[in-house]
């Protein structure tokens, strides 16, 4: 036995009662659970600690961070052992040279410009291979799964134009999605308030979801509105995936803006009705009220048509800028979820130009400042939107198909604290302090349930034979250290994290172990339906 954990409180990821036992780890897997009489090469006295399966971040934006930062304590210190990348319909594979340049510019606010990255891949499989050989071939800090990004696929097939796809272009998108799934992606993501993905009709999305269904993956949409038309947008996704026969996972599911205060029960009733009909639905959320996105994402979709350079040209033109302002402040832009923007709720969280650093942490005072920032930082500023409601957050996290996802953007001088704090905040604030969830329920939301959505047969539960991706934490002390004022503070009460039986966190400190690898869709694909 390589390692024996003595006297630990086992919270096994099923949601069932916890129990005390010894747990033995051998060659990267859980080898024994119970009273272990023999010793191991290493023994850890774990009395007073809880042992859970490693946490799965179902909505991560670490697509370049895992290649850039071998430490990656932002996630490792939280107990995260697996992240799902390729979110919101925009990421870096599959691409050609043109599309890669456009996507890098479009999501620089999420991941940085990438000037420090060697983009030596073009396909999904090549990107996953790159994760496996990151940092001199050692691998990366935590494991990673990948969703084929529908917006990137659309940009690759037909550019950034707001128009229907031709039959040939739709066939090309189907092939790109199928190739990505065959190469190991676990599903398809969309960002339907981001260009160019938002230009796709429901019929176009359904065609891609049929491919996803054939390969046993799932569809993960950031749907068309979290504001004025939120319920209608959720209902569209349910109808779409029911029609396509595809599993549905709703990204950062919430109900925001004044229009939706207290309306989470209406969303949950919609989902319960679909679940009762046999639909395969899950969702993720983060345990905070503000949202986080890029400033340019708030603009109306027509302002983003043509890609980043076209947006900048419209912003430079006074008449074009005035048209954008009117849409934002008067009619309500689709990029801002159909709600007229309240600039006092928009806080700058990051810029790439040091000359603009003074704006970070301030609330915008109007369109003129927003326009100046967009032009000066070439669309890269990130913002927090203080538009959420605590009662909605709590109601959604209680639901039986809920999972945890940070939606953590790691760039910027003052990122959202969810990037460094989501998982300990669930365990400390919502479990210990508020009792919104029991410890056993919460751990299931963060481990067993997401692993089941990803169809990973040997992860997410503490079972003999499962991979030893494990987190040990103190239920009486675990807490998020990150705050809005100091968002990069690491959590407390999580001393040990293991991936494949190796300590990536030991005694609260990051080790030099790089045990993370790509986690690829398992099983054999069904033949795509035509």
């Amino acid at each position: 036995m390589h390692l024996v954990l003595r006297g630990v409180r086992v919270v096994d990821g099923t949601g069932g009662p916890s129990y005390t036992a010894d747990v033995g780890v051998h060659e990267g897997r859980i080898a024994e659970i119970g009273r272990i009489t023999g010793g191991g090469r290493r023994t850890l006295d774990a009395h007073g600690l809880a042992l859970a399966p490693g946490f799965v971040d179902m909505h991560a934006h670490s697509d370049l961070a895992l290649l850039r930062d071998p430490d990656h304590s932002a996630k490792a210190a939280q107990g995260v052992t697996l992240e799902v990348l390729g979110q919101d319909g925009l990421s870096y594979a599959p691409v050609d040279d043109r599309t890669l340049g456009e996507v890098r510019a479009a999501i620089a606010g999420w991941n940085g410009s990438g000037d420090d990255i060697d983009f030596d891949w073009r396909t999904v499989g090549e990107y996953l291979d790159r994760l496996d050989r990151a940092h001199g071939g050692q691998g990366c800090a935590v494991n990673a799964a990948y969703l084929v990004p529908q917006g990137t696929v659309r940009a690759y097939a037909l550019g950034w134009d707001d128009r229907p796809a031709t039959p040939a272009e739709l066939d090309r998108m189907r092939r790109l999605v199928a190739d990505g799934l065959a190469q190991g992606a676990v599903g398809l993501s969309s960002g339907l308030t981001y260009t160019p993905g938002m230009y796709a009709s429901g019929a176009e999305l359904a065609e891609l979801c049929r491919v996803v269904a054939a390969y046993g993956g799932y569809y993960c949409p950031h749907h068309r509105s979290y504001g004025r038309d939120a319920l209608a947008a959720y209902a569209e996704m349910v109808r779409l995936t029911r029609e396509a026969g595809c599993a549905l996972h709703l990204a950062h599911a919430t109900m925001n803006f004044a229009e939706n205060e207290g309306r989470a029960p209406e969303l949950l009733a919609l989902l319960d009705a679909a679940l009762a009909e046999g639909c395969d639905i899950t969702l993720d959320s983060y345990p905070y009220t503000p949202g986080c996105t890029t400033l340019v994402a708030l603009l109306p979709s027509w302002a983003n048509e043509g890609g980043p350079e076209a947006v900048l040209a419209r912003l430079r033109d006074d008449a074009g800028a005035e048209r954008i302002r009117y849409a934002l402040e008067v009619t309500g832009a689709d990029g801002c979820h159909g709600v007229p923007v309240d600039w006092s709720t928009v806080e700058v969280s990051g810029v790439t130009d040091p000359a603009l650093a003074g704006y970070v942490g301030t609330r915008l005072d109007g369109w003129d400042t927003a326009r100046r920032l967009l032009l000066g930082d070439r669309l890269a500023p990130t913002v927090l939107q203080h538009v959420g409601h605590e009662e909605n957050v709590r109601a959604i996290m209680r639901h039986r198909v809920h999972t945890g996802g940070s939606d953590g953007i790691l760039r910027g001088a003052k990122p959202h604290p969810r990037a460094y704090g989501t998982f300990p905040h669930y365990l400390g604030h919502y479990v210990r302090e508020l009792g919104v969830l029991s410890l056993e329920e919460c751990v299931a939301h963060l481990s067993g349930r997401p692993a089941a959505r990803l169809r990973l047969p040997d992860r997410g539960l503490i079972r003999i034979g499962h991979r030893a991706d494990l987190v040990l934490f103190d239920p009486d002390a675990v807490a998020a250290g990150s705050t809005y004022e100091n968002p990069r503070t690491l959590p407390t009460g999580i001393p040990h994290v293991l991936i494949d039986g190796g300590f990536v966190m030991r005694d609260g400190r990051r080790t030099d172990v790089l045990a993370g690898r790509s986690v690829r869709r398992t099983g054999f694909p069904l033949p795509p339906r035509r």
Side-chain angles (χ1 to χ4, degrees):
M1 198 80 67
H2 286 156
L3 173 68
V4 176
L5 307 174
R6 295 284 188 193
V8 73
R9 177 183 173 185
V10 177
V11 188
D12 67 5
T14 66
S18 57
Y19 57 91
T20 300
D22 302 333
V23 175
V25 173
H26 187 69
E27 295 184 348
R29 293 187 179 267
I30 299 169
E32 193 170 349
I33 303 171
R35 187 170 182 270
I36 301 176
T37 55
R41 284 196 301 182
R42 303 171 75 180
T43 299
L44 178 67
D45 183 353
H47 289 83
L49 297 179
L51 177 71
F55 302 141
V56 179
D57 189 340
M58 286 295 287
H59 193 104
H61 288 286
S62 303
D63 305 48
L64 299 185
L66 283 171
L67 299 174
R68 176 184 290 124
D69 179 16
D71 182 83
H72 201 50
S73 289
K75 296 300 177 68
Q78 294 186 60
V80 171
T81 59
L82 171 60
E83 298 184 272
V84 185
L85 313 177
Q87 299 287 350
D88 294 327
L90 288 167
S91 189
Y92 305 95
V95 292
D96 57 9
D97 292 349
R98 171 190 60 81
T99 309
L100 175 60
E102 293 167 343
V103 169
R104 286 178 61 183
I107 55 174
W110 295 356
N111 298 307
S113 66
D115 291 342
D116 54 343
I117 301 292
D118 179 10
F119 288 89
D120 59 352
W121 69 85
R122 292 296 180 268
T123 69
V124 169
E126 290 168 351
Y127 172 71
L128 295 174
D129 290 342
R130 177 64 189 279
L131 291 174
D132 291 338
R133 57 182 175 82
H135 309 298
Q138 296 180 77
C140 43
V142 303
N143 297 311
Y146 189 77
L147 295 162
V148 179
Q150 171 259 330
T152 299
V153 165
R154 198 173 208 271
Y156 191 161
L158 62 106
W160 296 68
D161 297 336
D162 182 3
R163 62 173 176 82
T166 67
E169 289 165 343
L170 185 56
D171 279 344
R172 190 179 191 195
M173 285 190 280
R174 287 194 197 98
R175 287 195 300 273
L176 288 168
V177 172
D179 288 346
L181 291 161
Q183 292 161 16
V186 295
L188 175 74
S189 78
S190 283
L192 299 179
T193 63
Y194 301 131
T195 56
M198 70 190 320
Y199 300 141
S201 66
E204 179 181 309
L205 294 171
E207 286 297 312
L208 301 185
C209 283
R210 288 188 178 94
V211 177
V212 176
Y215 278 82
Y218 68 92
Y219 180 47
C220 180
H222 163 133
H223 51 278
R224 298 190 193 274
S225 176
Y226 290 80
R228 184 183 63 196
D229 298 318
L231 284 174
Y234 280 114
E236 180 196 9
M237 297 298 98
V238 172
R239 288 194 305 271
L240 186 157
T241 51
R242 181 191 288 119
E243 175 189 345
C246 181
L248 173 64
H249 180 86
L250 295 164
H252 39 58
T254 189
M255 299 283 287
N256 288 337
F257 301 93
E259 290 83 345
N260 292 313
E261 186 172 2
R263 296 187 69 190
E266 296 176 58
L267 165 62
L268 300 179
L270 169 70
L271 300 182
D272 284 337
L275 288 163
E277 294 173 7
C279 293
D280 183 359
I281 300 174
T282 51
L283 56 86
D284 65 65
S285 75
Y286 47 84
Y288 299 88
T289 52
C292 180
T293 189
T294 54
L295 180 58
V296 69
L298 306 186
L299 272 55
S301 56
W302 54 259
N304 281 285
E305 185 177 4
E309 292 304 322
V311 182
L312 290 166
R314 292 185 184 100
L315 288 167
R316 292 187 193 101
D317 176 67
D318 287 343
E322 172 57 21
R323 188 179 170 210
I324 293 170
R325 182 205 66 79
Y326 189 86
L328 279 167
E329 297 183 349
V330 180
T331 62
D334 47 6
C336 196
H337 308 278
V339 179
V341 68
D342 176 357
W343 292 114
S344 70
T345 68
V346 182
E347 177 185 355
V348 181
S349 60
V351 294
T352 59
D353 185 346
L356 301 172
Y359 288 100
V360 174
T362 67
R363 305 283 181 111
L364 292 180
D365 58 6
W367 167 242
D368 289 344
T369 302
R371 180 189 180 192
R372 186 161 56 249
L373 275 172
L374 287 166
L375 286 170
D377 208 32
R378 292 187 59 80
L379 312 182
T382 52
V383 296
L384 306 186
Q385 273 190 289
H386 295 268
V387 292
H389 305 286
E390 179 66 17
E391 67 272 34
N392 286 348
V393 169
R394 296 189 193 187
I396 290 167
M397 75 170 64
R398 290 189 186 102
H399 198 271
R400 66 187 186 281
V401 301
H402 170 266
T403 68
S406 71
D407 196 13
I409 294 174
L410 301 168
R411 304 292 287 181
K414 195 178 178 185
H416 196 302
R418 68 194 186 192
Y420 284 72
T422 286
F423 296 85
H425 197 51
Y426 269 121
L427 295 167
H429 185 60
Y430 286 97
V431 172
R432 185 181 63 248
E433 295 175 2
L434 299 180
V436 174
L437 294 167
S438 71
L439 181 64
E440 291 83 357
E441 289 174 320
C442 187
V443 167
H445 289 217
L446 306 182
S447 58
R449 189 173 297 155
R453 164 50 74 216
L454 295 168
R455 299 188 179 183
L456 302 176
D458 60 353
R459 300 176 192 266
L461 300 175
I462 296 180
R463 291 282 186 271
I464 292 174
H466 277 228
R467 289 182 179 273
D469 294 354
L470 303 168
V471 54
L472 289 108
F473 63 94
D474 182 347
D476 296 326
V478 61
S482 59
T483 64
Y484 294 100
E485 293 73 27
N486 297 292
R488 286 193 168 89
T489 305
L490 297 180
T492 56
I494 305 178
H496 311 297
V497 181
L498 297 88
I499 296 178
D500 273 357
F503 283 93
V504 297
M505 299 290 299
R506 182 71 189 262
D507 297 320
R509 297 184 178 182
R510 180 73 173 90
T511 71
D512 61 0
V513 171
L514 291 168
R517 299 292 185 271
S518 65
V519 174
R520 310 192 190 206
R521 186 188 52 79
T522 57
F524 296 98
L526 303 172
R529 289 181 286 183
R530 297 295 183 186

